[in-house]
Amino acid sequence: MVAVAIRRDIEASELRRLARLERDGRVSSRLLALAAVLDGVSREQAARIGGMDRQTLRDWVHRFNEAGVAGLRDRARPGRPCLLAEELLPELAALIADGPQVERDGVVEFRLSHIHALSLRHFGADYSQGGMHAVLRRMGFSWLKPRPIHPKTDLAAQETFKKNFGQTLACIRDQHPEVERVEVWFQDEARVGQKGSLTHLWAPTGTRPRAVRDHRFKSAYIFGAVCPERDTGVALVVSRVSTEAMNLMLAEISQAVGKAAHAAVLIDGAGWHVANDLEVPANITLVPLPPYSPELNAIERLWQVMRDTLLSHRLFTDLNHIIEVCCTTWNTLISQPGRIQSTCGYPWALPVRTS
């Protein structure tokens, strides 16, 4: 195979610079391969650098010679074009987030057919089912399982709590001028038992898969607390919830708080969180969440990850087995770098520093 001569009006150093800035990994690989060719590397070795064979490299050289760097991008696939312009996606996302104004067929939330009708009515965009799925994914939507709304939930109080949270941390900082920073911790409990729940699993399309589910009632509790800023957490596994267990949990958090730091620990209104004989260490201030507001407690998201990925579809032999699995599951998540930070990091719950 005779090598095709490559244009030399663009230097190899410029191609490497463009490769570093390129967001499309495929284009970046092609740029690096062509840069290697310009440096005099053999075509076979240059193809390996770009993760391709020699024939593919030859094709990209032709494209590069004809159109320059722009020729290295994938051409649009033939077929139906995107119906909704990119600049209109935020508007559609806002309409979906607002939810329906009235019931539709007795349903008080948007299903895929409703979103399709919304897109058609407001923008004239008539998508297929698969196309509507793709648009939702592009806008950052996922098919999620909702949490029931408690009748006493006050959404306005939740927004006020988030809005004023920085002021709350500032007050804690003023009360403890000796510390350098105030850390934000989220604390909660998760019940893990034999009567578990079923989650999604991979199965052949069109089938209704079966899964094992235990119907016994032995259970244990994970008392956990996480600090997203430091990507760390502590936990205890106990057989029942109590004020004594909460005192042990607070002692664990106290030992985990950073040096010259004070912890603002967000808790819900459970009885063992507000008991009169609760022993709160000196480097901890408890911050109660608004009633019936589990979505404000970031560790709830970690519980969901545990139940979906590590605790579902299990058969526990006895209480000791449950406790052992709980400990293993927690240690597995804690050992993953960035797990706590990415799962439990809330933008409104930022730490406060004195400097």
Side-chain angles (χ1 to χ4, degrees):
M1 180 186 298
V2 179
V4 178
I6 185 172
R7 59 187 293 179
R8 295 186 173 271
D9 55 329
I10 304 178
E11 296 182 356
S13 59
E14 175 64 12
L15 293 181
R16 289 194 174 88
R17 186 186 72 83
L18 294 174
R20 289 195 298 270
L21 300 175
E22 180 58 50
R23 298 183 64 181
D24 189 331
R26 295 168 297 185
V27 177
S28 181
S29 297
R30 295 159 193 166
L31 288 167
L32 292 176
L34 295 180
V37 173
L38 290 174
D39 284 338
V41 175
S42 68
R43 296 296 173 99
E44 183 176 356
Q45 186 176 353
R48 285 200 298 268
I49 292 174
M52 61 188 78
D53 55 31
R54 286 191 60 187
Q55 180 58 55
T56 303
L57 177 60
R58 180 187 178 92
D59 295 339
W60 288 118
V61 170
H62 278 297
R63 294 268 295 271
F64 178 67
N65 289 340
E66 293 173 5
V69 175
L72 300 180
R73 300 195 175 279
D74 293 326
R75 292 168 179 165
R77 295 180 179 179
R80 189 174 184 178
C82 179
L83 294 173
L84 199 60
E86 196 72 27
E87 56 269 19
L88 294 178
L89 291 181
E91 186 177 348
L92 176 59
L95 290 172
I96 297 171
D98 287 341
Q101 302 302 314
V102 296
E103 291 186 5
R104 287 176 172 81
D105 303 324
V107 179
V108 293
E109 50 84 22
F110 277 137
R111 291 179 177 167
L112 191 64
S113 59
H114 301 146
I115 297 175
H116 171 267
L118 185 72
S119 172
L120 183 60
R121 183 169 63 253
H122 281 265
F123 307 101
D126 187 8
Y127 285 97
S128 64
Q129 182 176 0
M132 199 74 256
H133 267 294
V135 171
L136 287 169
R137 293 290 184 184
R138 284 169 56 201
M139 294 189 299
F141 284 79
S142 300
W143 184 250
L144 303 175
K145 191 174 183 179
R147 180 193 298 273
I149 298 177
H150 194 280
K152 296 182 180 180
T153 296
D154 189 342
L155 298 179
Q158 294 182 19
E159 292 303 316
T160 301
F161 178 87
K162 291 190 289 187
K163 182 178 179 181
N164 297 333
F165 186 68
Q167 184 178 352
T168 301
L169 294 183
C171 291
I172 296 174
R173 177 196 58 195
D174 294 341
Q175 294 169 5
H176 300 275
E178 73 282 0
V179 303
E180 296 179 1
R181 67 185 188 280
V182 177
E183 297 178 352
V184 179
W185 287 71
F186 296 90
Q187 192 280 324
D188 195 28
E189 301 81 38
R191 189 186 70 82
V192 180
Q194 292 175 324
K195 195 171 179 62
S197 59
L198 298 181
T199 61
H200 296 81
L201 54 81
W202 291 105
T205 302
T207 64
R208 181 70 183 274
R210 291 177 177 270
V212 174
R213 182 176 185 180
D214 205 331
H215 291 277
R216 293 171 293 175
F217 296 95
K218 289 287 186 182
S219 62
Y221 291 85
I222 305 176
F223 273 70
V226 294
C227 179
E229 179 204 11
R230 293 174 49 207
D231 193 36
T232 189
V234 294
L236 295 173
V237 181
V238 296
S239 59
R240 62 186 180 89
V241 293
S242 64
T243 303
E244 291 78 11
M246 186 62 186
N247 283 334
L248 293 174
M249 182 75 255
L250 291 175
E252 288 293 323
I253 298 174
S254 177
Q255 295 179 10
V257 174
K259 294 182 179 180
H262 190 88
V265 181
L266 279 68
I267 56 172
D268 59 28
W272 49 90
H273 292 166
V274 295
N276 292 330
D277 52 346
L278 200 62
E279 300 172 0
V280 182
N283 62 344
I284 288 178
T285 297
L286 300 181
V287 180
L289 293 166
Y292 311 105
S293 304
E295 54 270 25
L296 295 183
N297 199 336
I299 198 174
E300 289 272 358
R301 299 170 67 176
L302 190 66
W303 300 149
Q304 189 63 48
V305 171
M306 292 171 60
R307 291 188 172 109
D308 286 346
T309 61
L310 298 172
L311 293 176
S312 59
H313 307 289
R314 281 184 176 270
L315 284 177
F316 297 106
T317 55
D318 52 26
L319 180 59
N320 289 332
H321 187 203
I322 297 174
I323 293 175
E324 178 185 352
V325 170
C326 287
C327 294
T328 302
T329 299
W330 177 267
N331 292 332
T332 298
L333 290 179
I334 289 295
S335 66
Q336 298 174 2
R339 165 61 73 181
I340 303 300
Q341 196 170 53
S342 62
T343 304
C344 304
Y346 277 170
W348 55 266
L350 299 177
V352 170
R353 299 180 185 274
T354 56
S355 57

